[in-house]
């Protein structure tokens, strides 16, 4: 395995595989903060040249965190299908890129079980933004909770009705408005301001009662810490369709989130036994480049590789939803709109290649050098890449988490631009309620939550009474 190359008469030598991967990454403020980034574009190109000649076997045999030291590494490595791996191990990373760009969807699906996170991250580093969109568009990953996400021709959305004080009336006002815009087919999911059993249970019950009353085929979720949700299940306090947890790419970083692989195994087992949903996929995970650096759990590896390891962790639990909250952590890790867009495309591609149903919270914090146009550019590119789902929030401004993301209106606009529709059963129900027409477009009732105050509305062909 060569760890050096010559460009313009200068030799560029790298310490190890981890160093090559870090310096081959596109410019990210987080890698610069960690002191592991390339010193300039020429060194970055040199690292990419070295990476392109490495084999997939080189990457598997050199995980960025040793197997014996890390439960995420063990989860990733132990899940590899050895028969598939044997068929692809001799490919160079450059050849792997060419394969992904030329292959048919079924050929890509066939090699997924033989991959590790370092392979997935490595090939992403050799791709342009258009490559990431083009390859991801060929990778469909479906999952079923109460409904099925990821089918071709769909663009789903999480209805995120966050409230600064978890006031039930305020939360449900946002839910009603979101449904009236065709948002919520992925999940009605709240980030709680108060992480207690009683509060989580009350909100879960509120969501489920609304879903049942209006016969809305979707999923409920409250994004509390996994241990809180486990207690709700153990005490049978509320129906729970999806169980949530934020994930990190190393055991040390996971510890900062209050989890490890053993705890998540336990949570998965409890949820499998006590869930209120009907399908085989009932876990929801969120990630984001830079979280391992913020918790000093990156082990000297770059943030893109650590993010890919999150997806390997998530895959262990056959999730229904996974999304990267791409610009949420701030400019220390993704400095501006350009870096945010690149990271969102990388993450979506890597999630799809890993084999999980991948979405994206297309977002930024107010102290980043990013704006609405950056957000919309990324959202449009992800829609082209067949991203499974995005967020829907009133006005695109989260009043509890205090960041900017996609609005109910953005979801509707992206569906019109791409011709995509919500999940089929959800769309059919909204047609019955008069919110969508037969073409799947919003009607004049869009944005009018008062329709849900008319008890007889759903029996009147969608006409307000």
């Amino acid at each position: 395995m060569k760890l050096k190359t010559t460009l313009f008469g200068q030799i560029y030598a790298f310490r190890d595989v981890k160093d090559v991967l870090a310096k081959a990454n596109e410019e990210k403020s987080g890698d610069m903060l960690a002191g592991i980034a390339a010193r300039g574009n020429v060194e970055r190109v040199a690292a990419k040249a070295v990476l392109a000649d490495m084999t997939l076997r080189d990457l598997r045999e050199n995980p960025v965190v040793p197997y014996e030291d890390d439960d995420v590494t063990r989860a990733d490595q132990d899940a590899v299908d050895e028969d598939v791996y044997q068929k692809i191990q001799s490919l160079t990373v450059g050849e792997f890129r060419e394969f992904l760009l030329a292959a048919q969807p079924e050929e890509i699906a066939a090699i997924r079980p033989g991959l590790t996170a370092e392979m997935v991250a490595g090939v992403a580093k050799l791709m342009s933004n258009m490559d990431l969109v083009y390859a991801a568009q060929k990778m469909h990953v479906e999952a079923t909770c109460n409904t099925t996400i990821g089918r071709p021709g769909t663009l789903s959305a999480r209805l995120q009705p966050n409230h600064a004080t978890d006031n039930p009336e305020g939360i449900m006002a946002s839910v009603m408005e979101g449904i009236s815009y065709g948002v919520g087919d992925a999940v009605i999911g709240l980030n709680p301001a108060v992480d207690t059993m009683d509060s989580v249970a009350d909100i879960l019950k509120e969501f489920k009662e609304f879903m049942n009353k209006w016969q809305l085929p979707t999923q409920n979720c409250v994004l509390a810490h996994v241990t809180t949700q486990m207690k709700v299940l153990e005490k049978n306090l509320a129906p729970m369709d999806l169980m949530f947890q934020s994930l990190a790419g190393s055991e040390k970083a996971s510890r900062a989130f209050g989890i490890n692989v053993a705890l998540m195994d336990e949570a998965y087992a409890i949820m499998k036994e006590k869930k209120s949903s009907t399908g085989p996929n009932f876990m929801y995970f969120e990630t984001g480049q830079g979280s391992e650096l913020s918790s000093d759990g990156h082990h000297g590896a770059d943030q893109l590789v650590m993010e890919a390891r999150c997806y390997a962790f998530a895959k262990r639990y056959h999730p229904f939803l996974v999304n990267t909250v791409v610009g949420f952590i701030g400019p220390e890790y993704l400095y501006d709109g350009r870096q945010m867009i690149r990271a969102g495309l990388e993450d979506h591609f890597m999630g799809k290649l890993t084999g999980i149903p991948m979405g994206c919270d297309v977002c930024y914090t107010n102290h980043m050098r990013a704006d609405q146009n950056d957000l919309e550019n990324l959202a449009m590119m992800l829609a082209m890449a067949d991203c499974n789902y995005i967020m829907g929030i009133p006005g695109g401004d989260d009043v509890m988490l205090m960041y900017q993301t996609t609005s109910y209106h953005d979801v509707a606009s992206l569906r019109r631009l791409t011709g995509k529709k919500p999940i089929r059963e959800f769309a059919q129900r909204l047609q019955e309620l008069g919110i969508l027409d037969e073409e799947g477009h919003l009607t004049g009732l869009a944005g009018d939550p008062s329709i849900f105050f008319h008890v007889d509305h759903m029996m009147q062909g969608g006409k307000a009474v």
Side-chain angles (χ1 to χ4, degrees):
M1 178 176 59
K2 288 180 57 179
L3 291 172
K4 63 181 180 180
T5 190
T6 302
L7 285 181
F8 304 112
Q10 181 174 344
I11 297 173
Y12 291 86
F14 304 95
R15 293 189 308 275
D16 50 26
V17 171
K18 186 190 299 187
D19 191 37
V20 173
L21 286 167
K23 290 183 168 55
N25 203 20
E26 292 299 303
E27 185 178 84
K28 305 280 176 59
S29 55
D31 294 337
M32 297 170 70
L33 181 65
I36 59 174
R39 288 166 291 184
N41 287 331
V42 178
E43 186 179 31
R44 182 172 296 108
V45 170
K48 287 178 186 286
V50 172
L51 176 60
D53 288 337
M54 285 183 176
T55 65
L56 299 186
R57 180 174 58 252
D58 293 331
L59 295 181
R60 185 182 185 191
E61 293 177 352
N62 293 275
V64 296
V65 190
Y67 182 93
E68 59 275 11
D69 296 341
D70 189 83
D71 60 5
V72 176
T73 301
R74 291 192 291 274
D76 185 17
Q77 294 276 346
D78 293 350
V80 171
D81 184 315
E82 296 295 341
D83 291 336
V84 176
Y85 170 69
Q86 291 299 323
K87 295 175 183 177
I88 62 173
Q89 62 172 328
S90 62
L91 284 176
T92 66
V93 182
E95 290 169 341
F96 186 36
R97 171 186 175 272
E98 295 301 316
F99 165 80
L100 293 174
L101 294 175
Q104 296 300 308
E106 59 273 15
E107 295 175 302
I108 299 175
I111 58 93
R112 279 190 187 121
L115 301 176
T116 66
E118 282 78 7
M119 300 178 203
V120 170
V123 74
K125 294 170 186 287
L126 300 186
M127 291 194 160
S128 69
N129 286 3
M130 188 179 292
D131 290 342
L132 294 169
V133 171
Y134 180 77
Q137 194 272 338
K138 297 191 285 184
M139 294 185 263
H140 291 284
V141 183
E142 298 182 12
T144 302
C145 188
N146 291 324
T147 56
T148 299
I149 201 166
R151 284 177 174 155
T154 62
L155 175 61
S156 298
R158 168 186 160 196
L159 202 171
Q160 185 171 310
N162 292 352
H163 192 278
T165 62
D166 284 351
N167 177 272
E169 292 182 355
I171 291 169
M172 293 313 298
S174 292
V175 170
M176 287 183 256
E177 183 187 24
I179 296 293
S180 77
Y181 276 112
V183 172
D185 58 325
V187 63
I188 301 174
L190 175 105
N191 296 89
V194 180
D195 194 323
T196 65
M197 280 190 296
D198 289 343
S199 179
V200 169
D202 288 345
I203 297 168
L204 284 169
K205 287 187 285 189
E206 195 84 38
F207 289 166
K208 183 61 76 169
E209 288 169 7
F210 183 80
M211 290 162 55
N212 290 340
K213 177 179 179 180
W214 294 97
Q215 300 171 30
L216 294 168
T218 185
Q219 293 69 223
N220 74 340
C221 184
V222 174
L223 286 70
H225 193 269
V226 68
T227 53
T228 305
Q229 296 169 83
M230 291 166 71
K231 292 174 184 175
V232 170
L233 288 175
E234 288 165 354
K235 294 180 180 294
N236 297 311
L237 296 179
M240 188 184 300
D241 294 333
L242 279 173
M243 174 178 274
F244 170 81
Q245 181 54 43
S246 294
L247 297 184
S250 73
E251 183 175 350
K252 185 177 181 181
S254 295
R255 199 176 304 133
F257 286 169
I259 64 168
N260 55 31
V261 171
L263 176 65
M264 293 310 302
D265 287 351
E266 182 183 350
Y268 181 80
I270 293 172
M271 185 62 179
K272 186 175 183 179
E273 177 188 352
K274 292 181 174 291
K275 67 187 176 73
S276 53
S277 48
T278 58
N281 309 112
F282 44 82
M283 301 298 285
Y284 174 15
F285 301 117
E286 287 187 342
T287 66
Q289 288 193 34
S291 63
E292 295 83 12
L293 177 58
S294 68
S295 60
D296 193 29
H298 64 105
H299 295 271
D302 68 272
Q303 61 191 48
L304 180 60
V305 171
M306 298 309 293
E307 181 71 6
R309 289 165 59 87
C310 293
Y311 305 147
F313 191 178
K315 187 177 181 180
R316 180 180 179 89
Y317 305 106
H318 317 288
F320 178 69
L321 301 176
V322 181
N323 69 265
T324 169
V325 194
V326 64
F328 182 72
I329 306 181
E332 300 88 346
Y333 310 102
L334 298 172
Y335 181 69
D336 56 16
R338 178 172 174 269
Q339 292 185 16
M340 176 193 76
I341 289 170
R342 174 68 189 187
L345 297 178
E346 290 169 340
D347 294 354
H348 176 252
F349 163 82
M350 292 194 301
K352 287 278 195 71
L353 183 55
T354 302
I356 56 178
M358 194 68 194
C360 184
D361 189 345
V362 185
C363 63
Y364 62 93
T365 56
N366 289 313
H367 60 310
M368 282 177 64
R369 294 182 65 88
D371 59 24
Q372 185 70 21
N373 288 330
D374 295 317
L375 185 152
E376 292 179 4
N377 286 342
L378 175 56
M380 287 187 286
M381 285 188 273
L382 287 170
M384 290 175 60
D386 275 352
C387 182
N388 280 20
Y389 71 104
I390 59 173
M391 307 299 121
I393 294 178
D397 185 3
D398 193 299
V399 297
M400 196 278 281
L401 294 174
M402 301 299 291
Y403 76 121
Q404 310 303 309
T405 184
T406 43
S407 68
Y408 301 150
H409 305 76
D410 294 331
V411 175
S413 297
L414 290 168
R415 286 172 177 162
R416 287 297 293 263
L417 282 170
T418 60
K420 299 179 189 296
K421 296 178 173 60
I423 291 171
R424 184 182 58 202
E425 298 92 333
F426 186 86
Q428 289 172 345
R429 182 60 186 136
L430 294 196
Q431 287 179 28
E432 294 170 0
L433 292 171
I435 294 168
L436 296 180
D437 62 22
E438 293 182 356
E439 299 299 319
H441 300 151
L442 291 172
T443 69
L445 293 180
D448 181 8
S450 72
I451 61 177
F452 294 105
F453 293 102
H454 300 291
V455 177
D456 296 328
H457 172 77
M458 65 180 172
M459 305 302 295
Q460 301 293 327
K463 298 178 181 178
V465 295

